[in-house]
Amino acid sequence: MFDAYEESVKKAPRKRSPWLEVWQRLRRNKMAMLGLWILSFVVFAAVFAGFIADYESVVIAQNLADRLQGPGAQYWLGTDEFGRDIFARLIHGARVSLLVGVLSVGISIVIGGALGAVAGYYGGRLDDIIMRVMDVFLAVPSILLAIAIVSALGANLTNLMLAIAISNIPTFARVVRASVLSIRDQEFIEAARAIGASDVRIIFRHIIPNSLAPVIVQGALGVALAILSTAGLSFIGLGIQPPEPEWGSMLAGGRQYLRHAWHVTTFPGLAIMITILALNLLGDGLRDALDPRLKH
């Protein structure tokens, strides 16, 4: 009898991992996979930028004899107003944009997610206090809030990440709170309370893991917004300071040469546009893949 039981267990179909099912649905979305491939290329270029082009001699050093040269065999994307290789500066600038985007959104998810989970789980007066504070932040446009923070703290990489992170906290707080409100009264939460699980354990072990789907989607879109905010702040002189390569500051430096050296601003603009497009395509695909109503 025991052998028959073992045989039936072996023949029983194994339940697939839910994340594997998400990946399978994501693979069927051609636009999402296009975004993933583009983003993978940008990440690869950023990670290996130091091997592709030397930072000091190619990215930072000026060569005025070759200034404003168009795309060609020597300089694939041309040179800027100081004779620096635009291609090399683009791939090194990708490091900055991705670093600010990922870290600032990560900070926003941790802080905003914790505030949203606490507000949604406990409700009542605590919920009102937390969400009214978030509403105050939401009343100010995120880019203006970031400008105010960077202006007060100073323009550098750390303050830039902090400013973008603070401006995105309310968005993630509201996303997590809405998800927590939809699951806090479900049976498995009541069962956890019945066996004596603490509120902290319920929030971090049961509620937050079951609220990850909308956070992942919003996180992908948030990185795109953070990259755009980084470029915008650098464009007006409140972000990464020259001669450090950053896409927004490259746009700002080349705008006065737009008529007779179109490549100086065109390629940084395309880099921003393509990266944000890839993140948006991936975010839309993740939203569809993580939607339980689309499961087959």
Side-chain angles (χ1 to χ4, degrees):
M1 182 179 294
F2 183 74
D3 293 338
Y5 172 75
E6 278 192 335
E7 189 67 25
S8 64
V9 170
K10 290 180 180 179
K11 292 182 178 179
R14 293 184 178 180
K15 186 178 180 180
R16 291 196 302 175
S17 167
W19 292 110
L20 180 59
E21 293 181 1
V22 169
W23 169 245
Q24 294 294 337
R25 288 195 296 273
L26 184 65
R27 286 182 61 184
R28 290 194 291 268
N29 190 325
K30 295 182 179 180
M31 298 306 294
M33 293 307 297
L34 174 62
L36 181 60
W37 279 109
I38 294 174
L39 185 61
S40 299
F41 175 78
V42 174
V43 172
F44 178 85
V47 170
F48 294 99
F51 296 96
I52 299 173
D54 182 68
Y55 184 81
E56 293 294 336
S57 61
V58 179
V59 178
I60 299 298
Q62 299 182 10
N63 183 14
L64 296 180
D66 291 336
R67 65 190 301 267
L68 299 179
Q69 287 195 15
Q74 183 178 3
Y75 301 107
W76 293 353
L77 302 182
T79 60
D80 64 5
E81 66 274 21
F82 296 109
R84 298 172 298 196
D85 190 345
I86 292 178
F87 174 75
R89 289 180 62 79
L90 279 181
I91 59 176
H92 279 273
R95 283 184 170 183
V96 176
S97 296
L98 293 176
L99 179 66
V100 174
V102 173
L103 290 184
S104 61
V105 169
I107 294 171
S108 301
I109 290 175
V110 171
I111 299 176
L115 291 174
V118 170
Y121 181 77
Y122 289 104
R125 185 177 296 274
L126 183 59
D127 181 23
D128 290 337
I129 293 174
I130 292 176
M131 298 317 297
R132 295 300 76 77
V133 173
M134 296 298 103
D135 288 341
V136 171
F137 280 96
L138 286 172
V140 182
S142 59
I143 188 65
L144 291 182
L145 180 61
I147 289 173
I149 295 173
V150 172
S151 299
L153 299 179
N156 57 54
L157 181 62
T158 302
N159 293 339
L160 181 62
M161 286 191 293
L162 182 62
I164 296 175
I166 292 175
S167 64
N168 285 326
I169 285 175
T171 301
F172 289 99
R174 295 184 74 88
V175 168
V176 173
R177 176 182 177 271
S179 184
V180 170
L181 287 175
S182 67
I183 65 175
R184 70 176 182 180
D185 295 325
Q186 293 188 12
E187 290 80 1
F188 68 95
I189 301 297
E190 295 295 335
R193 291 196 189 102
I195 63 175
S198 65
D199 290 342
V200 174
R201 180 179 177 83
I202 291 174
I203 290 174
F204 286 97
R205 185 68 183 271
H206 301 290
I207 289 183
I208 290 181
N210 285 280
S211 306
L212 285 180
V215 174
I216 292 173
V217 175
Q218 185 61 42
L221 301 176
V223 172
L225 180 60
I227 291 175
L228 187 60
S229 298
T230 302
L233 290 171
S234 297
F235 185 84
I236 61 176
L238 293 177
I240 307 301
Q241 299 300 305
E244 296 294 326
E246 199 282 325
W247 294 341
S249 62
M250 291 173 68
L251 279 174
R255 58 184 171 178
Q256 57 183 319
Y257 306 103
L258 187 59
R259 293 195 176 188
H260 57 276
W262 58 271
H263 61 279
V264 179
T265 53
T266 298
F267 292 117
L270 285 175
I272 296 171
M273 184 191 72
I274 292 173
T275 303
I276 292 176
L277 176 62
L279 285 164
N280 285 334
L281 291 175
L282 181 59
D284 290 341
L286 286 171
R287 180 193 59 200
D288 296 339
L290 291 167
D291 191 343
R293 293 171 296 182
L294 298 179
K295 290 183 179 179
H296 299 290

